[in-house]
């Protein structure tokens, strides 16, 4: 419902409550997706908002652009639906969006790069709507595209390899290194990388 609540796991006692999201436009009936990055920042994604809690500053930001502005980073297109956020092994922030492709942000150098589909380039992103991002333990970045399969970022190409698999909504790697892909039409698919 837009509240963030701290709970002592052992006792079940509520330690604190925070209403920032509700007070800044979060709706009680929308889904809230929480992602914690490598610096402990909270990224709270909803259909209408992206809230960011900066652990170092101990401060909430009502949008990704206000967070970027505070860190000297150029703004992203606004309004924009963000579906997923992930940090890779280099510390680069990956932002998967609805219709705007992917933004990769180097928080140290303040550089922002956008990847979008280009129908005449087979190494471009397969779709501009990105539902899920995953970094495997080898450091490869995998991108689930809306109705367009799975993309693997190939850094030497500064481009992508696409695996045609239909609509992939989520991707996870298990302990032995298998990939599990959640799809709309094929159920759950297990893939064993070579």
């Amino acid at each position: 419902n837009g509240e963030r609540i701290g709970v002592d796991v052992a006792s079940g006692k509520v330690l604190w409550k925070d209403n920032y999201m509700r007070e800044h436009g979060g709706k009680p009936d929308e889904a809230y997706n929480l992602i914690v990055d490598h610096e402990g920042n909270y990224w709270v994604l909803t259909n209408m908002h992206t809230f960011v809690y900066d652990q170092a500053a101990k401060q909430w930001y009502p949008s990704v652009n206000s967070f970027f502005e505070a860190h000297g980073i150029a703004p992203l297109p606004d309004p924009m639906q963000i579906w997923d956020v992930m940090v890779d092994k280099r510390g680069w922030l990956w932002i998967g969006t609805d219709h705007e492709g992917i933004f990769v942000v180097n928080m140290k150098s303040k550089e922002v790069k956008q990847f979008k589909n280009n129908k005449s380039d087979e190494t471009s992103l397969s779709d501009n709507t990105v539902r899920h991002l995953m970094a495997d333990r080898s450091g490869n970045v995998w991108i689930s595209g809306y109705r367009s399969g799975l993309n693997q970022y190939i850094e030497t190409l500064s481009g992508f390899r696409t695996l045609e698999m239909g609509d992939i909504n989520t991707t996870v790697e298990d302990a032995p290194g298998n990939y599990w892909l959640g799809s709309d039409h094929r159920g759950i698919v297990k893939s064993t990388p070579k």
Side-chain angles (χ1 to χ4, degrees), residues 10-73:
S11 69
K13 181 180 174 185
V14 174
L15 302 175
W16 52 264
K17 289 184 181 184
D18 180 331
N19 295 318
Y20 180 87
M21 292 175 286
R22 185 180 336 161
E23 293 167 359
H24 289 84
K27 305 288 185 227
D29 60 345
E30 62 184 343
Y32 289 78
N33 185 16
L34 173 67
I35 298 157
V36 181
D37 70 21
H38 71 295
E39 302 212 352
N41 299 321
Y42 302 140
W43 295 78
V44 182
L45 313 177
T46 75
N47 282 336
M48 302 302 294
H49 298 90
T50 299
F51 300 101
V52 183
Y53 183 78
D54 185 335
Q55 285 290 359
K58 302 292 184 217
Q59 178 178 344
W60 276 107
Y61 293 94
S63 69
V64 70
N65 282 337
S66 59
F67 174 73
F68 283 171
E69 180 181 4
H71 290 84
I73 297 169

Side-chain angles (χ1 to χ4, degrees), residues 83-84 96-97 129-133 143-146 167-170:
W83 287 113
D84 202 7
T97 73
T129 295
V130 173
R131 299 291 294 171
H132 184 70
L133 301 161
I143 299 102
S144 302
Y146 180 69
D167 197 357
I168 302 294
N169 295 304
T170 190

Side-chain angles (χ1 to χ4, degrees), residues 7-186:
V7 178
D8 180 303
V9 178
S11 69
K13 181 180 174 185
V14 174
L15 302 175
W16 52 264
K17 289 184 181 184
D18 180 331
N19 295 318
Y20 180 87
M21 292 175 286
R22 185 180 336 161
E23 293 167 359
H24 289 84
K27 305 288 185 227
D29 60 345
E30 62 184 343
Y32 289 78
N33 185 16
L34 173 67
I35 298 157
V36 181
D37 70 21
H38 71 295
E39 302 212 352
N41 299 321
Y42 302 140
W43 295 78
V44 182
L45 313 177
T46 75
N47 282 336
M48 302 302 294
H49 298 90
T50 299
F51 300 101
V52 183
Y53 183 78
D54 185 335
Q55 285 290 359
K58 302 292 184 217
Q59 178 178 344
W60 276 107
Y61 293 94
S63 69
V64 70
N65 282 337
S66 59
F67 174 73
F68 283 171
E69 180 181 4
H71 290 84
I73 297 169
L76 303 181
D78 192 26
M80 180 175 59
Q81 172 70 48
I82 296 176
W83 287 113
D84 202 7
V85 176
M86 178 209 68
V87 178
D88 70 14
K89 68 179 182 178
R90 294 169 293 240
W92 295 354
L93 176 69
W94 291 68
I95 299 173
T97 73
D98 190 27
H99 302 299
E100 293 291 336
I102 296 174
F103 292 90
V104 181
V105 183
N106 183 327
M107 297 294 287
K108 290 180 184 167
S109 73
K110 317 292 187 209
E111 180 184 356
V112 178
K113 183 166 187 166
Q114 182 180 21
F115 293 101
K116 289 184 90 172
N117 175 263
N118 176 345
K119 298 217 182 291
S120 63
D121 180 0
E122 66 183 28
T123 66
S124 75
L125 194 60
S126 65
D127 194 290
N128 289 329
T129 295
V130 173
R131 299 291 294 171
H132 184 70
L133 301 161
M134 181 194 81
D136 67 21
R137 79 186 86 152
S138 299
N140 297 308
V141 175
W142 295 90
I143 299 102
S144 302
Y146 180 69
R147 304 218 187 279
S148 62
L150 192 63
N151 296 264
Q152 179 188 15
Y153 178 68
I154 310 291
E155 189 168 359
T156 55
L157 292 174
S158 196
F160 301 88
R161 176 177 67 116
T162 301
L163 305 172
E164 297 294 335
M165 303 186 83
D167 197 357
I168 302 294
N169 295 304
T170 190
T171 310
V172 67
E173 181 181 18
D174 66 16
N178 299 304
Y179 300 143
W180 295 85
L181 316 172
S183 72
D184 278 352
H185 305 298
R186 296 175 57 194

